Amino acid sequence: VTIAMALSVAGPGHSKAKNPCAPNNPASKKTLNNPLNPCAPGHIKAPDAVHGMNPKAAQKAYGGLQKDMVAAFSSTGDQQAANYQSWKRYNTAPYESTEHGDRYLNNYANKIAQAYGKYEKSGNMPVGSVLAKDSFTVLKTGEIYPGPLFLMEKMSKGFMPSFGDWKYTMYLPDGSLIGETGGEGSENVDYCGTCHARVGSNQDHMFFLPKAWRLNQE
């Protein structure tokens, strides 16, 4: 996850940790019908979701949600969640990600993580780097639903070696916590760390957004 940026289904040998945002997540019907659940509504209404929106339309949809997102994620008490939209955004328009429940995503990074803009050449991120990714779903009826906020923060060496010492945090669109690596609901974000471990040290456990949507892509 993260956040930055698993875009495809894991291959053979992948950890058995379950992706909380996978389209086929075996959650209960009650949970799936909760519009604030990370597995809804993009999954239960997948046939009604708008896929492959053009960049202009996706940006317009996102613009209508940003104010509410700021309010919701500011209520978490997490300064990173509250301030991420003031950071640099590295995608030119929202893009769709299968690994994040077929939602449209935006990638942000704080100043410490400014090397993220070099993408595959960014190297190892310094401690304190934070990558943020918010999300939303658009239905053919015109309804727009905000989705979870995904955060990944580079911690001190030894924090979680198998995760490249990244801490993963996920919030629901109402601001409530889904989970945090090493903290409350840690098991709910284990998938994030194991998914990002697929690229390991070669990319400092970071995936990157599609090239067509990258800011300043050479």
PDB file of all heavy atoms in Angstrom, residues 16-44:
ATOM      1  N   LYS A  16       0.447 -14.103   3.190  1.00  0.00           N
ATOM      2  CA  LYS A  16      -0.976 -14.393   3.254  1.00  0.00           C
ATOM      3  C   LYS A  16      -1.755 -13.296   3.957  1.00  0.00           C
ATOM      4  O   LYS A  16      -2.957 -13.425   4.174  1.00  0.00           O
ATOM      5  CB  LYS A  16      -1.189 -15.736   3.958  1.00  0.00           C
ATOM      6  CG  LYS A  16      -0.663 -16.924   3.163  1.00  0.00           C
ATOM      7  CD  LYS A  16      -0.966 -18.236   3.863  1.00  0.00           C
ATOM      8  CE  LYS A  16      -0.442 -19.413   3.045  1.00  0.00           C
ATOM      9  NZ  LYS A  16      -0.719 -20.708   3.707  1.00  0.00           N
ATOM     10  N   ALA A  17      -1.091 -12.229   4.359  1.00  0.00           N
ATOM     11  CA  ALA A  17      -1.812 -11.114   4.961  1.00  0.00           C
ATOM     12  C   ALA A  17      -2.871 -10.626   3.984  1.00  0.00           C
ATOM     13  O   ALA A  17      -2.621 -10.513   2.792  1.00  0.00           O
ATOM     14  CB  ALA A  17      -0.836  -9.978   5.293  1.00  0.00           C
ATOM     15  N   LYS A  18      -4.063 -10.354   4.480  1.00  0.00           N
ATOM     16  CA  LYS A  18      -5.172  -9.978   3.609  1.00  0.00           C
ATOM     17  C   LYS A  18      -5.187  -8.485   3.335  1.00  0.00           C
ATOM     18  O   LYS A  18      -5.008  -7.676   4.238  1.00  0.00           O
ATOM     19  CB  LYS A  18      -6.501 -10.403   4.246  1.00  0.00           C
ATOM     20  CG  LYS A  18      -6.652 -11.917   4.370  1.00  0.00           C
ATOM     21  CD  LYS A  18      -7.974 -12.281   5.018  1.00  0.00           C
ATOM     22  CE  LYS A  18      -8.119 -13.799   5.123  1.00  0.00           C
ATOM     23  NZ  LYS A  18      -9.400 -14.179   5.788  1.00  0.00           N
ATOM     24  N   ASN A  19      -5.417  -8.143   2.085  1.00  0.00           N
ATOM     25  CA  ASN A  19      -5.525  -6.752   1.686  1.00  0.00           C
ATOM     26  C   ASN A  19      -6.887  -6.219   2.122  1.00  0.00           C
ATOM     27  O   ASN A  19      -7.911  -6.681   1.627  1.00  0.00           O
ATOM     28  CB  ASN A  19      -5.376  -6.649   0.164  1.00  0.00           C
ATOM     29  CG  ASN A  19      -5.506  -5.230  -0.348  1.00  0.00           C
ATOM     30  OD1 ASN A  19      -5.713  -4.297   0.423  1.00  0.00           O
ATOM     31  ND2 ASN A  19      -5.379  -5.077  -1.651  1.00  0.00           N
ATOM     32  N   PRO A  20      -6.948  -5.251   3.027  1.00  0.00           N
ATOM     33  CA  PRO A  20      -8.234  -4.731   3.489  1.00  0.00           C
ATOM     34  C   PRO A  20      -9.003  -3.980   2.416  1.00  0.00           C
ATOM     35  O   PRO A  20     -10.176  -3.676   2.584  1.00  0.00           O
ATOM     36  CB  PRO A  20      -7.845  -3.796   4.647  1.00  0.00           C
ATOM     37  CG  PRO A  20      -6.463  -3.364   4.296  1.00  0.00           C
ATOM     38  CD  PRO A  20      -5.825  -4.582   3.682  1.00  0.00           C
ATOM     39  N   CYS A  21      -8.340  -3.690   1.300  1.00  0.00           N
ATOM     40  CA  CYS A  21      -9.007  -2.955   0.235  1.00  0.00           C
ATOM     41  C   CYS A  21      -9.120  -3.761  -1.052  1.00  0.00           C
ATOM     42  O   CYS A  21      -9.410  -3.213  -2.106  1.00  0.00           O
ATOM     43  CB  CYS A  21      -8.272  -1.640  -0.045  1.00  0.00           C
ATOM     44  SG  CYS A  21      -8.425  -0.476   1.311  1.00  0.00           S
ATOM     45  N   ALA A  22      -8.892  -5.058  -0.969  1.00  0.00           N
ATOM     46  CA  ALA A  22      -8.990  -5.890  -2.171  1.00  0.00           C
ATOM     47  C   ALA A  22     -10.438  -6.016  -2.616  1.00  0.00           C
ATOM     48  O   ALA A  22     -11.345  -6.094  -1.792  1.00  0.00           O
ATOM     49  CB  ALA A  22      -8.428  -7.278  -1.890  1.00  0.00           C
ATOM     50  N   PRO A  23     -10.683  -6.022  -3.922  1.00  0.00           N
ATOM     51  CA  PRO A  23     -12.054  -6.140  -4.430  1.00  0.00           C
ATOM     52  C   PRO A  23     -12.801  -7.363  -3.923  1.00  0.00           C
ATOM     53  O   PRO A  23     -14.004  -7.330  -3.757  1.00  0.00           O
ATOM     54  CB  PRO A  23     -11.848  -6.204  -5.947  1.00  0.00           C
ATOM     55  CG  PRO A  23     -10.575  -5.460  -6.170  1.00  0.00           C
ATOM     56  CD  PRO A  23      -9.712  -5.810  -4.995  1.00  0.00           C
ATOM     57  N   ASN A  24     -12.084  -8.453  -3.642  1.00  0.00           N
ATOM     58  CA  ASN A  24     -12.748  -9.685  -3.198  1.00  0.00           C
ATOM     59  C   ASN A  24     -12.526  -9.957  -1.718  1.00  0.00           C
ATOM     60  O   ASN A  24     -12.521 -11.096  -1.286  1.00  0.00           O
ATOM     61  CB  ASN A  24     -12.252 -10.878  -4.022  1.00  0.00           C
ATOM     62  CG  ASN A  24     -12.633 -10.749  -5.484  1.00  0.00           C
ATOM     63  OD1 ASN A  24     -13.751 -10.356  -5.803  1.00  0.00           O
ATOM     64  ND2 ASN A  24     -11.702 -11.060  -6.374  1.00  0.00           N
ATOM     65  N   ASN A  25     -12.332  -8.921  -0.940  1.00  0.00           N
ATOM     66  CA  ASN A  25     -12.135  -9.098   0.494  1.00  0.00           C
ATOM     67  C   ASN A  25     -13.337  -9.807   1.108  1.00  0.00           C
ATOM     68  O   ASN A  25     -14.478  -9.374   0.943  1.00  0.00           O
ATOM     69  CB  ASN A  25     -11.971  -7.724   1.158  1.00  0.00           C
ATOM     70  CG  ASN A  25     -11.616  -7.853   2.629  1.00  0.00           C
ATOM     71  OD1 ASN A  25     -12.427  -8.291   3.431  1.00  0.00           O
ATOM     72  ND2 ASN A  25     -10.412  -7.452   2.967  1.00  0.00           N
ATOM     73  N   PRO A  26     -13.110 -10.931   1.816  1.00  0.00           N
ATOM     74  CA  PRO A  26     -14.224 -11.698   2.383  1.00  0.00           C
ATOM     75  C   PRO A  26     -14.765 -11.094   3.661  1.00  0.00           C
ATOM     76  O   PRO A  26     -14.779 -11.727   4.713  1.00  0.00           O
ATOM     77  CB  PRO A  26     -13.574 -13.067   2.632  1.00  0.00           C
ATOM     78  CG  PRO A  26     -12.164 -12.725   2.967  1.00  0.00           C
ATOM     79  CD  PRO A  26     -11.817 -11.569   2.058  1.00  0.00           C
ATOM     80  N   ALA A  27     -15.205  -9.859   3.599  1.00  0.00           N
ATOM     81  CA  ALA A  27     -15.789  -9.215   4.774  1.00  0.00           C
ATOM     82  C   ALA A  27     -17.267  -9.569   4.874  1.00  0.00           C
ATOM     83  O   ALA A  27     -17.886 -10.015   3.919  1.00  0.00           O
ATOM     84  CB  ALA A  27     -15.615  -7.699   4.657  1.00  0.00           C
ATOM     85  N   SER A  28     -17.827  -9.355   6.059  1.00  0.00           N
ATOM     86  CA  SER A  28     -19.237  -9.678   6.253  1.00  0.00           C
ATOM     87  C   SER A  28     -20.110  -8.713   5.468  1.00  0.00           C
ATOM     88  O   SER A  28     -19.698  -7.614   5.117  1.00  0.00           O
ATOM     89  CB  SER A  28     -19.598  -9.571   7.739  1.00  0.00           C
ATOM     90  OG  SER A  28     -19.564  -8.219   8.160  1.00  0.00           O
ATOM     91  N   LYS A  29     -21.334  -9.138   5.159  1.00  0.00           N
ATOM     92  CA  LYS A  29     -22.258  -8.299   4.396  1.00  0.00           C
ATOM     93  C   LYS A  29     -22.523  -6.997   5.130  1.00  0.00           C
ATOM     94  O   LYS A  29     -22.574  -5.925   4.531  1.00  0.00           O
ATOM     95  CB  LYS A  29     -23.570  -9.043   4.160  1.00  0.00           C
ATOM     96  CG  LYS A  29     -24.574  -8.260   3.325  1.00  0.00           C
ATOM     97  CD  LYS A  29     -25.819  -9.090   3.057  1.00  0.00           C
ATOM     98  CE  LYS A  29     -26.817  -8.301   2.208  1.00  0.00           C
ATOM     99  NZ  LYS A  29     -28.043  -9.083   1.954  1.00  0.00           N
ATOM    100  N   LYS A  30     -22.642  -7.073   6.445  1.00  0.00           N
ATOM    101  CA  LYS A  30     -22.895  -5.868   7.244  1.00  0.00           C
ATOM    102  C   LYS A  30     -21.758  -4.874   7.095  1.00  0.00           C
ATOM    103  O   LYS A  30     -21.963  -3.677   6.924  1.00  0.00           O
ATOM    104  CB  LYS A  30     -23.073  -6.246   8.715  1.00  0.00           C
ATOM    105  CG  LYS A  30     -23.355  -5.050   9.618  1.00  0.00           C
ATOM    106  CD  LYS A  30     -23.557  -5.502  11.060  1.00  0.00           C
ATOM    107  CE  LYS A  30     -23.828  -4.315  11.966  1.00  0.00           C
ATOM    108  NZ  LYS A  30     -24.011  -4.729  13.370  1.00  0.00           N
ATOM    109  N   THR A  31     -20.538  -5.378   7.142  1.00  0.00           N
ATOM    110  CA  THR A  31     -19.375  -4.505   7.014  1.00  0.00           C
ATOM    111  C   THR A  31     -19.286  -3.907   5.623  1.00  0.00           C
ATOM    112  O   THR A  31     -19.026  -2.723   5.451  1.00  0.00           O
ATOM    113  CB  THR A  31     -18.087  -5.290   7.320  1.00  0.00           C
ATOM    114  OG1 THR A  31     -18.189  -5.833   8.639  1.00  0.00           O
ATOM    115  CG2 THR A  31     -16.871  -4.397   7.237  1.00  0.00           C
ATOM    116  N   LEU A  32     -19.541  -4.734   4.612  1.00  0.00           N
ATOM    117  CA  LEU A  32     -19.448  -4.259   3.236  1.00  0.00           C
ATOM    118  C   LEU A  32     -20.459  -3.165   2.939  1.00  0.00           C
ATOM    119  O   LEU A  32     -20.216  -2.296   2.112  1.00  0.00           O
ATOM    120  CB  LEU A  32     -19.660  -5.430   2.270  1.00  0.00           C
ATOM    121  CG  LEU A  32     -18.482  -6.394   2.112  1.00  0.00           C
ATOM    122  CD1 LEU A  32     -18.889  -7.574   1.258  1.00  0.00           C
ATOM    123  CD2 LEU A  32     -17.284  -5.697   1.504  1.00  0.00           C
ATOM    124  N   ASN A  33     -21.599  -3.213   3.601  1.00  0.00           N
ATOM    125  CA  ASN A  33     -22.635  -2.229   3.340  1.00  0.00           C
ATOM    126  C   ASN A  33     -22.428  -0.923   4.099  1.00  0.00           C
ATOM    127  O   ASN A  33     -23.230  -0.003   3.980  1.00  0.00           O
ATOM    128  CB  ASN A  33     -24.011  -2.813   3.664  1.00  0.00           C
ATOM    129  CG  ASN A  33     -24.465  -3.803   2.598  1.00  0.00           C
ATOM    130  OD1 ASN A  33     -24.201  -3.609   1.425  1.00  0.00           O
ATOM    131  ND2 ASN A  33     -25.135  -4.857   3.008  1.00  0.00           N
ATOM    132  N   ASN A  34     -21.359  -0.855   4.877  1.00  0.00           N
ATOM    133  CA  ASN A  34     -21.018   0.378   5.576  1.00  0.00           C
ATOM    134  C   ASN A  34     -20.234   1.261   4.611  1.00  0.00           C
ATOM    135  O   ASN A  34     -19.127   0.912   4.205  1.00  0.00           O
ATOM    136  CB  ASN A  34     -20.180   0.050   6.809  1.00  0.00           C
ATOM    137  CG  ASN A  34     -19.698   1.295   7.530  1.00  0.00           C
ATOM    138  OD1 ASN A  34     -19.998   2.423   7.134  1.00  0.00           O
ATOM    139  ND2 ASN A  34     -18.950   1.098   8.596  1.00  0.00           N
ATOM    140  N   PRO A  35     -20.772   2.418   4.202  1.00  0.00           N
ATOM    141  CA  PRO A  35     -20.087   3.252   3.206  1.00  0.00           C
ATOM    142  C   PRO A  35     -18.745   3.793   3.674  1.00  0.00           C
ATOM    143  O   PRO A  35     -17.968   4.291   2.869  1.00  0.00           O
ATOM    144  CB  PRO A  35     -21.100   4.376   2.945  1.00  0.00           C
ATOM    145  CG  PRO A  35     -21.908   4.442   4.200  1.00  0.00           C
ATOM    146  CD  PRO A  35     -22.039   3.016   4.644  1.00  0.00           C
ATOM    147  N   LEU A  36     -18.465   3.701   4.982  1.00  0.00           N
ATOM    148  CA  LEU A  36     -17.191   4.178   5.502  1.00  0.00           C
ATOM    149  C   LEU A  36     -16.151   3.063   5.572  1.00  0.00           C
ATOM    150  O   LEU A  36     -15.017   3.289   5.938  1.00  0.00           O
ATOM    151  CB  LEU A  36     -17.384   4.790   6.900  1.00  0.00           C
ATOM    152  CG  LEU A  36     -18.273   6.030   6.940  1.00  0.00           C
ATOM    153  CD1 LEU A  36     -18.386   6.543   8.372  1.00  0.00           C
ATOM    154  CD2 LEU A  36     -17.728   7.131   6.049  1.00  0.00           C
ATOM    155  N   ASN A  37     -16.580   1.868   5.241  1.00  0.00           N
ATOM    156  CA  ASN A  37     -15.671   0.732   5.268  1.00  0.00           C
ATOM    157  C   ASN A  37     -14.673   0.824   4.122  1.00  0.00           C
ATOM    158  O   ASN A  37     -15.029   1.211   3.008  1.00  0.00           O
ATOM    159  CB  ASN A  37     -16.489  -0.559   5.147  1.00  0.00           C
ATOM    160  CG  ASN A  37     -15.605  -1.788   5.129  1.00  0.00           C
ATOM    161  OD1 ASN A  37     -14.763  -1.948   5.998  1.00  0.00           O
ATOM    162  ND2 ASN A  37     -15.777  -2.622   4.135  1.00  0.00           N
ATOM    163  N   PRO A  38     -13.393   0.476   4.346  1.00  0.00           N
ATOM    164  CA  PRO A  38     -12.412   0.567   3.261  1.00  0.00           C
ATOM    165  C   PRO A  38     -12.715  -0.370   2.105  1.00  0.00           C
ATOM    166  O   PRO A  38     -12.140  -0.236   1.030  1.00  0.00           O
ATOM    167  CB  PRO A  38     -11.096   0.179   3.953  1.00  0.00           C
ATOM    168  CG  PRO A  38     -11.511  -0.618   5.141  1.00  0.00           C
ATOM    169  CD  PRO A  38     -12.780   0.037   5.599  1.00  0.00           C
ATOM    170  N   CYS A  39     -13.600  -1.332   2.308  1.00  0.00           N
ATOM    171  CA  CYS A  39     -13.956  -2.259   1.237  1.00  0.00           C
ATOM    172  C   CYS A  39     -15.239  -1.847   0.525  1.00  0.00           C
ATOM    173  O   CYS A  39     -15.788  -2.606  -0.266  1.00  0.00           O
ATOM    174  CB  CYS A  39     -14.113  -3.665   1.800  1.00  0.00           C
ATOM    175  SG  CYS A  39     -12.588  -4.286   2.526  1.00  0.00           S
ATOM    176  N   ALA A  40     -15.768  -0.670   0.805  1.00  0.00           N
ATOM    177  CA  ALA A  40     -17.003  -0.213   0.175  1.00  0.00           C
ATOM    178  C   ALA A  40     -16.873   1.273  -0.122  1.00  0.00           C
ATOM    179  O   ALA A  40     -16.088   1.954   0.496  1.00  0.00           O
ATOM    180  CB  ALA A  40     -18.176  -0.447   1.114  1.00  0.00           C
ATOM    181  N   PRO A  41     -17.626   1.858  -1.060  1.00  0.00           N
ATOM    182  CA  PRO A  41     -18.598   1.201  -1.910  1.00  0.00           C
ATOM    183  C   PRO A  41     -17.998   0.726  -3.230  1.00  0.00           C
ATOM    184  O   PRO A  41     -18.687   0.192  -4.079  1.00  0.00           O
ATOM    185  CB  PRO A  41     -19.609   2.300  -2.166  1.00  0.00           C
ATOM    186  CG  PRO A  41     -18.740   3.514  -2.266  1.00  0.00           C
ATOM    187  CD  PRO A  41     -17.650   3.311  -1.237  1.00  0.00           C
ATOM    188  N   GLY A  42     -16.699   0.941  -3.414  1.00  0.00           N
ATOM    189  CA  GLY A  42     -16.080   0.600  -4.682  1.00  0.00           C
ATOM    190  C   GLY A  42     -16.156  -0.868  -5.041  1.00  0.00           C
ATOM    191  O   GLY A  42     -16.018  -1.231  -6.196  1.00  0.00           O
ATOM    192  N   HIS A  43     -16.413  -1.708  -4.045  1.00  0.00           N
ATOM    193  CA  HIS A  43     -16.440  -3.141  -4.290  1.00  0.00           C
ATOM    194  C   HIS A  43     -17.860  -3.651  -4.477  1.00  0.00           C
ATOM    195  O   HIS A  43     -18.162  -4.334  -5.439  1.00  0.00           O
ATOM    196  CB  HIS A  43     -15.750  -3.860  -3.132  1.00  0.00           C
ATOM    197  CG  HIS A  43     -14.460  -3.222  -2.768  1.00  0.00           C
ATOM    198  ND1 HIS A  43     -13.364  -3.254  -3.585  1.00  0.00           N
ATOM    199  CD2 HIS A  43     -14.109  -2.467  -1.706  1.00  0.00           C
ATOM    200  CE1 HIS A  43     -12.383  -2.572  -3.028  1.00  0.00           C
ATOM    201  NE2 HIS A  43     -12.807  -2.079  -1.907  1.00  0.00           N
ATOM    202  N   ILE A  44     -18.743  -3.290  -3.556  1.00  0.00           N
ATOM    203  CA  ILE A  44     -20.112  -3.791  -3.665  1.00  0.00           C
ATOM    204  C   ILE A  44     -20.841  -3.172  -4.848  1.00  0.00           C
ATOM    205  O   ILE A  44     -21.820  -3.711  -5.324  1.00  0.00           O
ATOM    206  CB  ILE A  44     -20.901  -3.547  -2.361  1.00  0.00           C
ATOM    207  CG1 ILE A  44     -20.975  -2.058  -2.030  1.00  0.00           C
ATOM    208  CG2 ILE A  44     -20.272  -4.296  -1.213  1.00  0.00           C
ATOM    209  CD1 ILE A  44     -21.885  -1.749  -0.834  1.00  0.00           C
TER     210      ILE A  44
END
